[in-house]
Amino acid sequence: MREEIINLLKKENKLSDESISEIKNIEIDDFANIVKELGQEETEHIKKSEILKDLNTEYIGKELYVYKEVSSTNTVAKFLSMNDVKNGTVVISEKQTKAKGRSGKSWESPLGGVWLSIILKPNVEQSKFPMITIATGVAVAKTLEKVGVEEPEIKWPNDIMINGKKVCGILTEAVAKFNTVENVIIGVGIDANLEVTQFPEELQAGTTTLKEELNKEGNENLLIKIFLEEFEKISELFNHAGYEAILKEWRKRSYSIGKIVEVREPFNTYYDGYVVGIDKDGVLIVEKIDGTLKKVISGECIIKN
Ligand code: BTN
């Protein structure tokens, strides 16, 4: 973690290579303050002032850090979450150099996208955590609807799709202390003002961007503001056990239900099945070829039809 923060500081030209040894001796509190200060500096494309202007939230985004470039907003958010930040703190970066996708994959994050992480301190039991990701998917889909996307869909667990192509991914990570989850980091990547040709060739067929779908450049700051508002609305439902209402919104936009999929669970268990739905905890229910029902808690689901 410390190495990643050092790299972040190097990127911002705040420290020369020679002073890296010095930073290793900085007290962790001072270190956190430096990272916080960097996140208050003016950035060129993503504007803190525009996001905060009329932001209609109680706590999401009220503490906001915006960077020009970081390795991963999830990494910075994890670090900050251990250093005295409020529930709902948001970390944004204009670019990421080592962004993380699900299943250990990397994530393309050039300038023009929306790359952000939210620090949540949930006060619900751990079994409900998959619902946070489900709820985030709904918040992104609602945001896209508000900026003019017709019928965005959610592919379990958390890919947002437009016309069958992925426009957004979500990576939720838990930060635990003494085996208890203290913070959840929700990383959201939206391919906003980008061209599909900016992505590696092997990803292009399955990827889309808001700019291409809406045939125009959009306002990233407005997109972020709307998302933070939608996120707070749905996390309030989450905090007050409104799981059924969240699931209803998810099911309305499901890309997965009714499809034949190949399930790839961790540790290489692969099987085909038919997606029946998601249960009350946000777990996917798949009917295998032999008729048995399987609960898929994590992994990939490759759509086959
Ligand atoms: C996926 O594989 O679909 C999840 C992608 C998540 C990407 C976002 S971008 C902001 C945040 N920081 C990261 O390093 N990853 C997430």
Side-chain angles (χ1 to χ4, degrees), residues 93-117:
S93 187
E94 294 183 333
K95 277 190 208 170
Q96 298 178 106
T97 53
K98 246 171 89 181
K100 298 182 278 186
R102 290 179 59 240
S103 312
K105 293 189 190 134
S106 58
W107 181 260
E108 291 297 316
S109 316
L111 191 66
V114 164
W115 324 123
L116 63 83
S117 302

Side-chain angles (χ1 to χ4, degrees), residues 182-198:
E182 291 217 318
N183 296 294
V184 175
I185 310 296
I186 304 147
V188 177
I190 308 176
D191 300 333
N193 288 324
L194 298 170
E195 314 271 348
V196 170
T197 48
Q198 288 176 266

Side-chain angles (χ1 to χ4, degrees), residues 41-264:
E41 284 184 5
E42 191 67 18
T43 37
E44 206 177 321
H45 303 273
I46 308 262
K47 296 280 180 205
K48 198 174 165 187
S49 54
E50 281 188 40
I51 297 168
L52 292 178
K53 200 169 103 205
D54 307 325
L55 177 69
N56 189 13
T57 61
E58 290 283 321
Y59 56 96
I60 299 292
K62 289 295 172 176
E63 191 169 340
L64 176 62
Y65 300 98
V66 184
Y67 299 88
K68 266 206 292 259
E69 186 175 304
V70 298
S71 56
S72 154
T73 53
N74 268 29
T75 304
V76 175
K78 245 188 246 174
F79 172 74
L80 289 176
S81 75
M82 297 177 236
N83 286 283
D84 195 25
V85 291
K86 293 195 192 108
N87 183 28
T89 293
V90 174
V91 176
I92 306 178
S93 187
E94 294 183 333
K95 277 190 208 170
Q96 298 178 106
T97 53
K98 246 171 89 181
K100 298 182 278 186
R102 290 179 59 240
S103 312
K105 293 189 190 134
S106 58
W107 181 260
E108 291 297 316
S109 316
L111 191 66
V114 164
W115 324 123
L116 63 83
S117 302
I118 302 176
I119 301 169
L120 265 201
K121 300 173 186 288
N123 55 356
V124 298
E125 52 182 277
Q126 226 154 301
S127 68
K128 291 292 175 200
F129 284 5
M131 283 297 290
I132 298 180
T133 307
I134 296 289
T136 308
V138 174
V140 173
K142 286 189 162 193
T143 302
L144 300 191
E145 286 159 14
K146 282 204 165 160
V147 298
V149 176
E150 280 173 32
E151 299 188 9
E153 293 177 292
I154 313 170
K155 180 168 160 273
W156 187 90
N158 49 22
D159 290 346
I160 313 303
M161 317 288 286
I162 306 177
N163 297 320
K165 295 182 175 186
K166 180 163 170 173
V167 69
C168 166
I170 299 164
L171 176 69
T172 310
E173 297 183 274
V175 184
K177 199 171 169 187
F178 306 121
N179 278 339
T180 311
V181 174
E182 291 217 318
N183 296 294
V184 175
I185 310 296
I186 304 147
V188 177
I190 308 176
D191 300 333
N193 288 324
L194 298 170
E195 314 271 348
V196 170
T197 48
Q198 288 176 266
F199 292 85
E201 229 171 278
E202 66 277 13
L203 295 181
Q204 289 182 11
T207 300
T208 192
T209 72
L210 282 184
K211 184 177 167 188
E212 297 204 355
E213 294 294 330
L214 298 171
N215 289 315
K216 59 169 193 221
E217 290 249 336
N219 179 337
E220 291 154 44
N221 298 305
L222 181 64
L223 189 71
I224 294 169
K225 174 184 168 315
I226 298 173
F227 170 68
L228 298 182
E229 291 175 351
E230 288 300 327
F231 185 87
E232 182 166 296
K233 277 190 231 156
I234 205 133
S235 56
E236 276 308 284
L237 267 181
F238 178 74
N239 288 336
H240 296 97
Y243 307 125
E244 255 321 304
I246 297 172
L247 289 169
K248 194 169 153 204
E249 295 291 341
W250 194 94
R251 290 188 184 110
K252 262 203 299 208
R253 299 171 176 86
S254 168
Y255 180 76
S256 307
I257 296 173
K259 298 236 164 69
I260 306 282
V261 293
E262 180 183 282
V263 179
R264 297 184 178 178

